[in-house]
Amino acid sequence: MTMPRRAAQAFTAVLLAASTVTALSHTAAAADTLGSAAAGKGRYFGTAVAANHLGESAYASTLDREFNQVTPENEMKWDATEGSRNTFTFGNADQIVSHAQSQNMKVRGHTLVWHSQLPSWVSGLGATDLRSAMNNHITQVMQHYKGKIYAWDVVNEAYQDGSSGALRSSPFADKLGSGFIEEAFRTARSVDPNAKLCYNDYNTDGVNAKSNAVYAMVKDFKSRGVPIDCVGFQSHFNSASPVPSDYQANLQRFADLGVDVQITELDIEGSGTAQANNYSNVVKACLAVTRCTGLTVWGVTDKYSWRSSGTPLLFDSNYGKKPAYDAALAALGGTGTPGGGDGGNPGGNATCTVSFARTSDWNDGYNGEVTVKAGSAPINGWTVTLTFATPQKVASLWNGTPSWDSSGTVMTVRAASYNSSLAAGASTSFGFTAAKNGNNSTPTLGACTAS
Ligand code: G3I
């Protein structure tokens, strides 16, 4: 039996009213903010914060209402804290830490040893001097914040992108060798044994050569008793670097090594339902991994994002809640604020998963088949992203509607009119023929978004 839309709305309103009464009879804090909903799941939900925005009332009130963890976006980096050798400046970072303490927010220290935002005096040192400068920096900064930081990104982004699995060239790696990471962690533990010590990186969000290299390092550290407690997955996503389909599995394999994992710098370029579904998938992946202890988005508002034009965050430039906010909150098990301008919970239950198979192969081409499966709720539409290695080209595609990004490497496929609606748990597939043009790689499959 189908109910006319108005009747259905009225029926839903009655149900909502009934559930509001029930909710009011429980006095536990309503899980109607990101922080409180995450706390209900034993996690934190945080954001990067810039000290110079704390005086803006909408910024501060959004921060204080929604988040229960902060990471200083730039203020604890080496160039901000020790611009000249052994002269330490903590003013801006202190401002963030005291704000966080006044709001009972956890603080993640970011970051002690990183090749970027590194003052030139450090890069100019010889090996012996560099070693003592690194250990002194870790010691002084951690001493200053001892007892106030729940976790430190001790070493950030030490590995190269791409297939080498090697350390990136940096003053530390080049002059001290690979042992600098271990030394940094050992020094950090000796300064503040109560802070969690993390390794943090990007492009390690799925299983790939770079994350394999980090995995091998963590495994080695655990086997030799080198102190490491956690691994941060930055999770900066866009169409060229979509949420990987093995995101959860990757978090889980690190957790299985005996470390906590955290999503540390989450932002996902896009808008509307597609962005919302991506956020939902990321939150759900963390919740599905017991040792994923929290998520941090890389900024409060699109207005101040480091990649503002990609509108990658949960609040728009006017601090309005975006569909991505509703989806993240719903995934955390929270409830949207009625009349809060958050549009309810669009697409909150619509999920899908994807898998890929190369179904045939010949000298200069191959056929690929992507299977889309609805989650536990029916879906009305789906979108899948595939990134191809250059110079592969898709020659034809069936059972879907493709579009391409400007680089011609990222193909987004929407459902065809006849296979967009899927019952809960049902599957459909689309296929394509690709010309290898000398490159035999398999395309990278992004996450599935459903509406
Ligand atoms: O504060 C100065 C300002 O005085 C000056 O006028 C202006 C001119 O360029 O620069 C301002 O500093 C900028 C700073 O952000 C504060 O806005 C720097 O140029 C700019 O390079 C810096 O960018 C930061 C970036 O790290 C540097 O690598 C971003 O804010 C910050 O979001 C970003 O964060 C990194 C994480 O630490 C590590 N993972 C990747 C992530 C994104 O790149």
PDB file of all heavy atoms in Angstrom, residues 48 50 52-53 72-74 77 79 110-111 114 116-117 156-157 200-202 234 236 265 267 298 304-307, ligand 1:
ATOM      1  N   ALA A  48      40.193  21.117  13.231  1.00  0.00           N
ATOM      2  CA  ALA A  48      41.361  21.992  13.250  1.00  0.00           C
ATOM      3  C   ALA A  48      40.870  23.397  13.573  1.00  0.00           C
ATOM      4  O   ALA A  48      39.780  23.805  13.164  1.00  0.00           O
ATOM      5  CB  ALA A  48      42.059  21.982  11.887  1.00  0.00           C
ATOM      6  N   ALA A  50      42.167  27.630  14.050  1.00  0.00           N
ATOM      7  CA  ALA A  50      43.197  28.660  13.873  1.00  0.00           C
ATOM      8  C   ALA A  50      42.980  29.726  14.940  1.00  0.00           C
ATOM      9  O   ALA A  50      41.861  30.236  15.105  1.00  0.00           O
ATOM     10  CB  ALA A  50      43.103  29.266  12.473  1.00  0.00           C
ATOM     11  N   ASN A  52      43.676  32.770  15.128  1.00  0.00           N
ATOM     12  CA  ASN A  52      43.232  34.113  14.737  1.00  0.00           C
ATOM     13  C   ASN A  52      41.739  34.205  14.411  1.00  0.00           C
ATOM     14  O   ASN A  52      41.235  35.275  14.132  1.00  0.00           O
ATOM     15  CB  ASN A  52      44.080  34.651  13.571  1.00  0.00           C
ATOM     16  CG  ASN A  52      43.975  33.794  12.332  1.00  0.00           C
ATOM     17  OD1 ASN A  52      43.670  32.612  12.431  1.00  0.00           O
ATOM     18  ND2 ASN A  52      44.210  34.372  11.167  1.00  0.00           N
ATOM     19  N   HIS A  53      41.022  33.083  14.445  1.00  0.00           N
ATOM     20  CA  HIS A  53      39.566  33.149  14.221  1.00  0.00           C
ATOM     21  C   HIS A  53      38.770  33.021  15.514  1.00  0.00           C
ATOM     22  O   HIS A  53      37.549  33.153  15.505  1.00  0.00           O
ATOM     23  CB  HIS A  53      39.102  32.053  13.249  1.00  0.00           C
ATOM     24  CG  HIS A  53      39.792  32.115  11.927  1.00  0.00           C
ATOM     25  ND1 HIS A  53      39.966  33.290  11.226  1.00  0.00           N
ATOM     26  CD2 HIS A  53      40.366  31.139  11.165  1.00  0.00           C
ATOM     27  CE1 HIS A  53      40.624  33.042  10.111  1.00  0.00           C
ATOM     28  NE2 HIS A  53      40.875  31.751  10.052  1.00  0.00           N
ATOM     29  N   PRO A  72      45.411  22.359  16.663  1.00  0.00           N
ATOM     30  CA  PRO A  72      45.863  23.647  16.125  1.00  0.00           C
ATOM     31  C   PRO A  72      46.301  23.463  14.667  1.00  0.00           C
ATOM     32  O   PRO A  72      47.101  22.568  14.371  1.00  0.00           O
ATOM     33  CB  PRO A  72      47.048  24.016  17.020  1.00  0.00           C
ATOM     34  CG  PRO A  72      46.832  23.232  18.283  1.00  0.00           C
ATOM     35  CD  PRO A  72      46.185  21.948  17.838  1.00  0.00           C
ATOM     36  N   GLU A  73      45.756  24.289  13.767  1.00  0.00           N
ATOM     37  CA  GLU A  73      46.000  24.050  12.333  1.00  0.00           C
ATOM     38  C   GLU A  73      47.453  24.348  11.960  1.00  0.00           C
ATOM     39  O   GLU A  73      48.048  23.638  11.153  1.00  0.00           O
ATOM     40  CB  GLU A  73      45.044  24.892  11.485  1.00  0.00           C
ATOM     41  CG  GLU A  73      45.138  24.559  10.006  1.00  0.00           C
ATOM     42  CD  GLU A  73      44.063  25.230   9.173  1.00  0.00           C
ATOM     43  OE1 GLU A  73      43.171  25.888   9.740  1.00  0.00           O
ATOM     44  OE2 GLU A  73      44.121  25.094   7.929  1.00  0.00           O
ATOM     45  N   ASN A  74      48.023  25.396  12.508  1.00  0.00           N
ATOM     46  CA  ASN A  74      49.416  25.767  12.186  1.00  0.00           C
ATOM     47  C   ASN A  74      50.247  26.143  13.409  1.00  0.00           C
ATOM     48  O   ASN A  74      51.466  26.187  13.331  1.00  0.00           O
ATOM     49  CB  ASN A  74      49.417  26.971  11.228  1.00  0.00           C
ATOM     50  CG  ASN A  74      48.962  26.582   9.828  1.00  0.00           C
ATOM     51  OD1 ASN A  74      49.605  25.762   9.160  1.00  0.00           O
ATOM     52  ND2 ASN A  74      47.841  27.144   9.375  1.00  0.00           N
ATOM     53  N   LYS A  77      53.320  24.076  14.857  1.00  0.00           N
ATOM     54  CA  LYS A  77      54.344  23.595  13.924  1.00  0.00           C
ATOM     55  C   LYS A  77      55.686  24.250  14.243  1.00  0.00           C
ATOM     56  O   LYS A  77      55.762  25.264  14.946  1.00  0.00           O
ATOM     57  CB  LYS A  77      53.885  23.884  12.490  1.00  0.00           C
ATOM     58  CG  LYS A  77      52.649  23.052  12.110  1.00  0.00           C
ATOM     59  CD  LYS A  77      52.058  23.432  10.771  1.00  0.00           C
ATOM     60  CE  LYS A  77      50.840  22.563  10.448  1.00  0.00           C
ATOM     61  NZ  LYS A  77      50.151  22.994   9.202  1.00  0.00           N
ATOM     62  N   ASP A  79      57.829  26.056  12.593  1.00  0.00           N
ATOM     63  CA  ASP A  79      58.071  27.469  12.237  1.00  0.00           C
ATOM     64  C   ASP A  79      57.332  28.412  13.182  1.00  0.00           C
ATOM     65  O   ASP A  79      57.742  29.551  13.393  1.00  0.00           O
ATOM     66  CB  ASP A  79      57.694  27.755  10.775  1.00  0.00           C
ATOM     67  CG  ASP A  79      56.226  27.509  10.455  1.00  0.00           C
ATOM     68  OD1 ASP A  79      55.495  26.953  11.307  1.00  0.00           O
ATOM     69  OD2 ASP A  79      55.793  27.863   9.333  1.00  0.00           O
ATOM     70  N   HIS A 110      50.009  19.027  17.000  1.00  0.00           N
ATOM     71  CA  HIS A 110      50.338  18.862  15.572  1.00  0.00           C
ATOM     72  C   HIS A 110      51.325  19.941  15.171  1.00  0.00           C
ATOM     73  O   HIS A 110      50.946  21.101  15.168  1.00  0.00           O
ATOM     74  CB  HIS A 110      49.050  18.987  14.755  1.00  0.00           C
ATOM     75  CG  HIS A 110      49.252  18.907  13.280  1.00  0.00           C
ATOM     76  ND1 HIS A 110      49.446  17.718  12.619  1.00  0.00           N
ATOM     77  CD2 HIS A 110      49.280  19.864  12.319  1.00  0.00           C
ATOM     78  CE1 HIS A 110      49.567  17.955  11.324  1.00  0.00           C
ATOM     79  NE2 HIS A 110      49.472  19.248  11.116  1.00  0.00           N
ATOM     80  N   THR A 111      52.471  19.652  14.856  1.00  0.00           N
ATOM     81  CA  THR A 111      53.169  18.375  14.816  1.00  0.00           C
ATOM     82  C   THR A 111      54.632  18.619  15.158  1.00  0.00           C
ATOM     83  O   THR A 111      55.111  19.737  14.942  1.00  0.00           O
ATOM     84  CB  THR A 111      53.023  17.697  13.427  1.00  0.00           C
ATOM     85  OG1 THR A 111      53.828  16.525  13.340  1.00  0.00           O
ATOM     86  CG2 THR A 111      53.412  18.628  12.283  1.00  0.00           C
ATOM     87  N   TRP A 114      58.385  17.410  11.031  1.00  0.00           N
ATOM     88  CA  TRP A 114      57.745  17.454   9.709  1.00  0.00           C
ATOM     89  C   TRP A 114      58.672  18.216   8.772  1.00  0.00           C
ATOM     90  O   TRP A 114      59.279  19.212   9.188  1.00  0.00           O
ATOM     91  CB  TRP A 114      56.390  18.170   9.831  1.00  0.00           C
ATOM     92  CG  TRP A 114      55.518  18.175   8.610  1.00  0.00           C
ATOM     93  CD1 TRP A 114      55.481  17.240   7.611  1.00  0.00           C
ATOM     94  CD2 TRP A 114      54.540  19.169   8.268  1.00  0.00           C
ATOM     95  NE1 TRP A 114      54.529  17.576   6.678  1.00  0.00           N
ATOM     96  CE2 TRP A 114      53.928  18.759   7.053  1.00  0.00           C
ATOM     97  CE3 TRP A 114      54.104  20.361   8.859  1.00  0.00           C
ATOM     98  CZ2 TRP A 114      52.922  19.499   6.427  1.00  0.00           C
ATOM     99  CZ3 TRP A 114      53.105  21.092   8.243  1.00  0.00           C
ATOM    100  CH2 TRP A 114      52.517  20.659   7.040  1.00  0.00           C
ATOM    101  N   SER A 116      57.818  20.056   6.346  1.00  0.00           N
ATOM    102  CA  SER A 116      57.212  21.302   5.855  1.00  0.00           C
ATOM    103  C   SER A 116      57.061  22.290   7.007  1.00  0.00           C
ATOM    104  O   SER A 116      57.053  21.902   8.174  1.00  0.00           O
ATOM    105  CB  SER A 116      55.856  20.964   5.249  1.00  0.00           C
ATOM    106  OG  SER A 116      55.253  22.105   4.726  1.00  0.00           O
ATOM    107  N   GLN A 117      56.893  23.559   6.670  1.00  0.00           N
ATOM    108  CA  GLN A 117      56.821  24.601   7.700  1.00  0.00           C
ATOM    109  C   GLN A 117      57.967  24.434   8.704  1.00  0.00           C
ATOM    110  O   GLN A 117      57.784  24.513   9.924  1.00  0.00           O
ATOM    111  CB  GLN A 117      55.435  24.613   8.366  1.00  0.00           C
ATOM    112  CG  GLN A 117      54.378  25.170   7.403  1.00  0.00           C
ATOM    113  CD  GLN A 117      52.965  25.055   7.910  1.00  0.00           C
ATOM    114  OE1 GLN A 117      52.398  23.965   7.914  1.00  0.00           O
ATOM    115  NE2 GLN A 117      52.374  26.159   8.338  1.00  0.00           N
ATOM    116  N   ASN A 156      55.242  13.538  11.078  1.00  0.00           N
ATOM    117  CA  ASN A 156      54.187  13.782  10.099  1.00  0.00           C
ATOM    118  C   ASN A 156      54.739  13.595   8.680  1.00  0.00           C
ATOM    119  O   ASN A 156      55.820  14.107   8.360  1.00  0.00           O
ATOM    120  CB  ASN A 156      53.726  15.246  10.269  1.00  0.00           C
ATOM    121  CG  ASN A 156      52.408  15.551   9.596  1.00  0.00           C
ATOM    122  OD1 ASN A 156      51.479  14.753   9.658  1.00  0.00           O
ATOM    123  ND2 ASN A 156      52.320  16.712   8.956  1.00  0.00           N
ATOM    124  N   GLU A 157      54.026  12.820   7.868  1.00  0.00           N
ATOM    125  CA  GLU A 157      54.286  12.750   6.419  1.00  0.00           C
ATOM    126  C   GLU A 157      55.729  12.403   6.063  1.00  0.00           C
ATOM    127  O   GLU A 157      56.352  13.056   5.228  1.00  0.00           O
ATOM    128  CB  GLU A 157      53.897  14.085   5.761  1.00  0.00           C
ATOM    129  CG  GLU A 157      52.442  14.441   5.993  1.00  0.00           C
ATOM    130  CD  GLU A 157      52.046  15.811   5.431  1.00  0.00           C
ATOM    131  OE1 GLU A 157      52.866  16.453   4.766  1.00  0.00           O
ATOM    132  OE2 GLU A 157      50.893  16.222   5.673  1.00  0.00           O
ATOM    133  N   ASN A 200      51.435  10.324  11.599  1.00  0.00           N
ATOM    134  CA  ASN A 200      50.307  10.899  10.847  1.00  0.00           C
ATOM    135  C   ASN A 200      50.710  11.087   9.383  1.00  0.00           C
ATOM    136  O   ASN A 200      51.813  11.559   9.103  1.00  0.00           O
ATOM    137  CB  ASN A 200      49.980  12.272  11.478  1.00  0.00           C
ATOM    138  CG  ASN A 200      48.720  12.910  10.959  1.00  0.00           C
ATOM    139  OD1 ASN A 200      47.661  12.272  10.965  1.00  0.00           O
ATOM    140  ND2 ASN A 200      48.800  14.154  10.517  1.00  0.00           N
ATOM    141  N   ASP A 201      49.820  10.710   8.457  1.00  0.00           N
ATOM    142  CA  ASP A 201      50.175  10.893   7.031  1.00  0.00           C
ATOM    143  C   ASP A 201      48.922  10.987   6.162  1.00  0.00           C
ATOM    144  O   ASP A 201      47.802  10.752   6.626  1.00  0.00           O
ATOM    145  CB  ASP A 201      51.067   9.733   6.558  1.00  0.00           C
ATOM    146  CG  ASP A 201      52.114  10.188   5.528  1.00  0.00           C
ATOM    147  OD1 ASP A 201      51.820  11.105   4.732  1.00  0.00           O
ATOM    148  OD2 ASP A 201      53.221   9.613   5.524  1.00  0.00           O
ATOM    149  N   TYR A 202      49.125  11.374   4.886  1.00  0.00           N
ATOM    150  CA  TYR A 202      48.036  11.452   3.901  1.00  0.00           C
ATOM    151  C   TYR A 202      48.309  10.450   2.778  1.00  0.00           C
ATOM    152  O   TYR A 202      49.433   9.946   2.642  1.00  0.00           O
ATOM    153  CB  TYR A 202      47.911  12.881   3.328  1.00  0.00           C
ATOM    154  CG  TYR A 202      49.076  13.282   2.456  1.00  0.00           C
ATOM    155  CD1 TYR A 202      49.049  13.089   1.081  1.00  0.00           C
ATOM    156  CD2 TYR A 202      50.224  13.822   3.026  1.00  0.00           C
ATOM    157  CE1 TYR A 202      50.130  13.433   0.284  1.00  0.00           C
ATOM    158  CE2 TYR A 202      51.311  14.169   2.240  1.00  0.00           C
ATOM    159  CZ  TYR A 202      51.260  13.970   0.863  1.00  0.00           C
ATOM    160  OH  TYR A 202      52.338  14.293   0.079  1.00  0.00           O
ATOM    161  N   GLN A 234      45.041  11.208   7.509  1.00  0.00           N
ATOM    162  CA  GLN A 234      44.595  12.582   7.302  1.00  0.00           C
ATOM    163  C   GLN A 234      43.244  12.648   6.585  1.00  0.00           C
ATOM    164  O   GLN A 234      42.398  13.442   6.913  1.00  0.00           O
ATOM    165  CB  GLN A 234      45.662  13.369   6.537  1.00  0.00           C
ATOM    166  CG  GLN A 234      46.944  13.526   7.343  1.00  0.00           C
ATOM    167  CD  GLN A 234      47.952  14.441   6.669  1.00  0.00           C
ATOM    168  OE1 GLN A 234      47.663  15.109   5.670  1.00  0.00           O
ATOM    169  NE2 GLN A 234      49.158  14.477   7.223  1.00  0.00           N
ATOM    170  N   HIS A 236      42.267  13.640   3.357  1.00  0.00           N
ATOM    171  CA  HIS A 236      41.914  14.781   2.497  1.00  0.00           C
ATOM    172  C   HIS A 236      41.411  14.198   1.169  1.00  0.00           C
ATOM    173  O   HIS A 236      42.209  13.644   0.410  1.00  0.00           O
ATOM    174  CB  HIS A 236      43.140  15.663   2.236  1.00  0.00           C
ATOM    175  CG  HIS A 236      43.655  16.352   3.466  1.00  0.00           C
ATOM    176  ND1 HIS A 236      42.944  17.348   4.088  1.00  0.00           N
ATOM    177  CD2 HIS A 236      44.798  16.206   4.174  1.00  0.00           C
ATOM    178  CE1 HIS A 236      43.645  17.783   5.140  1.00  0.00           C
ATOM    179  NE2 HIS A 236      44.767  17.100   5.215  1.00  0.00           N
ATOM    180  N   GLU A 265      42.460  14.718   9.662  1.00  0.00           N
ATOM    181  CA  GLU A 265      42.378  15.997   8.939  1.00  0.00           C
ATOM    182  C   GLU A 265      41.288  15.925   7.876  1.00  0.00           C
ATOM    183  O   GLU A 265      41.447  16.405   6.749  1.00  0.00           O
ATOM    184  CB  GLU A 265      43.735  16.331   8.293  1.00  0.00           C
ATOM    185  CG  GLU A 265      44.869  16.381   9.288  1.00  0.00           C
ATOM    186  CD  GLU A 265      46.213  16.776   8.688  1.00  0.00           C
ATOM    187  OE1 GLU A 265      46.250  17.272   7.543  1.00  0.00           O
ATOM    188  OE2 GLU A 265      47.226  16.592   9.378  1.00  0.00           O
ATOM    189  N   ASP A 267      38.638  16.237   5.242  1.00  0.00           N
ATOM    190  CA  ASP A 267      37.833  17.153   4.433  1.00  0.00           C
ATOM    191  C   ASP A 267      37.578  16.475   3.094  1.00  0.00           C
ATOM    192  O   ASP A 267      38.398  15.692   2.621  1.00  0.00           O
ATOM    193  CB  ASP A 267      38.428  18.560   4.308  1.00  0.00           C
ATOM    194  CG  ASP A 267      39.849  18.629   3.794  1.00  0.00           C
ATOM    195  OD1 ASP A 267      40.378  17.607   3.315  1.00  0.00           O
ATOM    196  OD2 ASP A 267      40.434  19.721   3.873  1.00  0.00           O
ATOM    197  N   TRP A 298      39.168  19.091   9.048  1.00  0.00           N
ATOM    198  CA  TRP A 298      40.261  20.051   8.932  1.00  0.00           C
ATOM    199  C   TRP A 298      39.719  21.475   8.784  1.00  0.00           C
ATOM    200  O   TRP A 298      39.958  22.157   7.795  1.00  0.00           O
ATOM    201  CB  TRP A 298      41.228  19.661   7.808  1.00  0.00           C
ATOM    202  CG  TRP A 298      42.616  20.220   8.034  1.00  0.00           C
ATOM    203  CD1 TRP A 298      43.311  21.048   7.196  1.00  0.00           C
ATOM    204  CD2 TRP A 298      43.474  20.004   9.169  1.00  0.00           C
ATOM    205  NE1 TRP A 298      44.542  21.356   7.753  1.00  0.00           N
ATOM    206  CE2 TRP A 298      44.667  20.728   8.967  1.00  0.00           C
ATOM    207  CE3 TRP A 298      43.338  19.267  10.353  1.00  0.00           C
ATOM    208  CZ2 TRP A 298      45.717  20.747   9.889  1.00  0.00           C
ATOM    209  CZ3 TRP A 298      44.387  19.287  11.270  1.00  0.00           C
ATOM    210  CH2 TRP A 298      45.547  20.015  11.029  1.00  0.00           C
ATOM    211  N   TYR A 304      37.176  29.241   5.930  1.00  0.00           N
ATOM    212  CA  TYR A 304      38.599  29.287   6.270  1.00  0.00           C
ATOM    213  C   TYR A 304      39.335  27.993   5.936  1.00  0.00           C
ATOM    214  O   TYR A 304      40.449  27.775   6.400  1.00  0.00           O
ATOM    215  CB  TYR A 304      38.775  29.589   7.766  1.00  0.00           C
ATOM    216  CG  TYR A 304      38.210  30.921   8.184  1.00  0.00           C
ATOM    217  CD1 TYR A 304      37.347  31.036   9.274  1.00  0.00           C
ATOM    218  CD2 TYR A 304      38.522  32.083   7.478  1.00  0.00           C
ATOM    219  CE1 TYR A 304      36.826  32.252   9.657  1.00  0.00           C
ATOM    220  CE2 TYR A 304      38.002  33.311   7.846  1.00  0.00           C
ATOM    221  CZ  TYR A 304      37.152  33.383   8.939  1.00  0.00           C
ATOM    222  OH  TYR A 304      36.639  34.597   9.303  1.00  0.00           O
ATOM    223  N   SER A 305      38.716  27.137   5.132  1.00  0.00           N
ATOM    224  CA  SER A 305      39.399  25.896   4.772  1.00  0.00           C
ATOM    225  C   SER A 305      40.663  26.197   3.969  1.00  0.00           C
ATOM    226  O   SER A 305      40.691  27.136   3.173  1.00  0.00           O
ATOM    227  CB  SER A 305      38.465  25.028   3.937  1.00  0.00           C
ATOM    228  OG  SER A 305      39.199  24.038   3.261  1.00  0.00           O
ATOM    229  N   TRP A 306      41.689  25.357   4.122  1.00  0.00           N
ATOM    230  CA  TRP A 306      42.918  25.521   3.316  1.00  0.00           C
ATOM    231  C   TRP A 306      42.619  25.298   1.837  1.00  0.00           C
ATOM    232  O   TRP A 306      43.390  25.669   0.981  1.00  0.00           O
ATOM    233  CB  TRP A 306      44.021  24.568   3.795  1.00  0.00           C
ATOM    234  CG  TRP A 306      43.770  23.111   3.503  1.00  0.00           C
ATOM    235  CD1 TRP A 306      42.788  22.336   4.049  1.00  0.00           C
ATOM    236  CD2 TRP A 306      44.500  22.270   2.614  1.00  0.00           C
ATOM    237  NE1 TRP A 306      42.857  21.058   3.547  1.00  0.00           N
ATOM    238  CE2 TRP A 306      43.914  20.982   2.670  1.00  0.00           C
ATOM    239  CE3 TRP A 306      45.611  22.447   1.783  1.00  0.00           C
ATOM    240  CZ2 TRP A 306      44.384  19.899   1.925  1.00  0.00           C
ATOM    241  CZ3 TRP A 306      46.078  21.361   1.039  1.00  0.00           C
ATOM    242  CH2 TRP A 306      45.464  20.112   1.110  1.00  0.00           C
ATOM    243  N   ARG A 307      41.478  24.649   1.533  1.00  0.00           N
ATOM    244  CA  ARG A 307      41.056  24.577   0.123  1.00  0.00           C
ATOM    245  C   ARG A 307      39.581  24.961   0.030  1.00  0.00           C
ATOM    246  O   ARG A 307      38.717  24.185  -0.370  1.00  0.00           O
ATOM    247  CB  ARG A 307      41.360  23.231  -0.492  1.00  0.00           C
ATOM    248  CG  ARG A 307      41.068  22.029   0.366  1.00  0.00           C
ATOM    249  CD  ARG A 307      41.533  20.801  -0.357  1.00  0.00           C
ATOM    250  NE  ARG A 307      40.993  19.601   0.241  1.00  0.00           N
ATOM    251  CZ  ARG A 307      41.225  18.391  -0.231  1.00  0.00           C
ATOM    252  NH1 ARG A 307      41.969  18.213  -1.285  1.00  0.00           N
ATOM    253  NH2 ARG A 307      40.701  17.341   0.350  1.00  0.00           N
TER     254      ARG A 307
HETATM  255  O1  G3I B   1      49.788  33.588   8.398  1.00  0.00           O
HETATM  256  C1  G3I B   1      50.363  33.955   7.134  1.00  0.00           C
HETATM  257  C2  G3I B   1      49.927  35.336   6.756  1.00  0.00           C
HETATM  258  O2  G3I B   1      50.450  36.243   7.677  1.00  0.00           O
HETATM  259  C3  G3I B   1      50.437  35.615   5.340  1.00  0.00           C
HETATM  260  O3  G3I B   1      49.981  36.858   4.920  1.00  0.00           O
HETATM  261  C4  G3I B   1      49.961  34.559   4.371  1.00  0.00           C
HETATM  262  C5  G3I B   1      50.525  34.765   2.958  1.00  0.00           C
HETATM  263  O4  G3I B   1      50.735  33.543   2.290  1.00  0.00           O
HETATM  264  O5  G3I B   1      50.389  33.309   4.819  1.00  0.00           O
HETATM  265  C6  G3I B   1      49.878  32.970   6.095  1.00  0.00           C
HETATM  266  O6  G3I B   1      50.350  31.699   6.448  1.00  0.00           O
HETATM  267  C7  G3I B   1      49.750  30.609   5.788  1.00  0.00           C
HETATM  268  C8  G3I B   1      49.216  29.665   6.843  1.00  0.00           C
HETATM  269  O7  G3I B   1      48.710  28.511   6.233  1.00  0.00           O
HETATM  270  C9  G3I B   1      48.110  30.304   7.684  1.00  0.00           C
HETATM  271  O8  G3I B   1      47.006  30.579   6.886  1.00  0.00           O
HETATM  272  C10 G3I B   1      50.809  29.903   4.950  1.00  0.00           C
HETATM  273  O9  G3I B   1      51.211  30.756   3.880  1.00  0.00           O
HETATM  274  C11 G3I B   1      50.252  28.625   4.413  1.00  0.00           C
HETATM  275  O10 G3I B   1      51.306  27.901   3.780  1.00  0.00           O
HETATM  276  C12 G3I B   1      49.698  27.779   5.541  1.00  0.00           C
HETATM  277  O11 G3I B   1      49.106  26.638   4.978  1.00  0.00           O
HETATM  278  C13 G3I B   1      48.912  25.570   5.874  1.00  0.00           C
HETATM  279  C14 G3I B   1      49.551  24.316   5.318  1.00  0.00           C
HETATM  280  O12 G3I B   1      49.295  23.231   6.188  1.00  0.00           O
HETATM  281  C15 G3I B   1      51.044  24.476   5.160  1.00  0.00           C
HETATM  282  O13 G3I B   1      51.657  23.291   4.811  1.00  0.00           O
HETATM  283  C16 G3I B   1      47.427  25.361   6.034  1.00  0.00           C
HETATM  284  O14 G3I B   1      46.839  26.480   6.706  1.00  0.00           O
HETATM  285  C17 G3I B   1      47.155  24.096   6.851  1.00  0.00           C
HETATM  286  O15 G3I B   1      45.791  23.785   6.797  1.00  0.00           O
HETATM  287  C18 G3I B   1      47.927  22.942   6.253  1.00  0.00           C
HETATM  288  O16 G3I B   1      47.730  21.809   7.060  1.00  0.00           O
HETATM  289  C19 G3I B   1      48.344  20.605   6.612  1.00  0.00           C
HETATM  290  C20 G3I B   1      48.646  19.770   7.828  1.00  0.00           C
HETATM  291  O17 G3I B   1      49.420  20.510   8.745  1.00  0.00           O
HETATM  292  C21 G3I B   1      49.360  18.491   7.449  1.00  0.00           C
HETATM  293  N1  G3I B   1      48.632  17.768   6.444  1.00  0.00           N
HETATM  294  C22 G3I B   1      48.218  18.510   5.274  1.00  0.00           C
HETATM  295  C23 G3I B   1      47.441  19.764   5.693  1.00  0.00           C
HETATM  296  C24 G3I B   1      46.911  20.468   4.499  1.00  0.00           C
HETATM  297  O18 G3I B   1      47.938  20.953   3.668  1.00  0.00           O
END
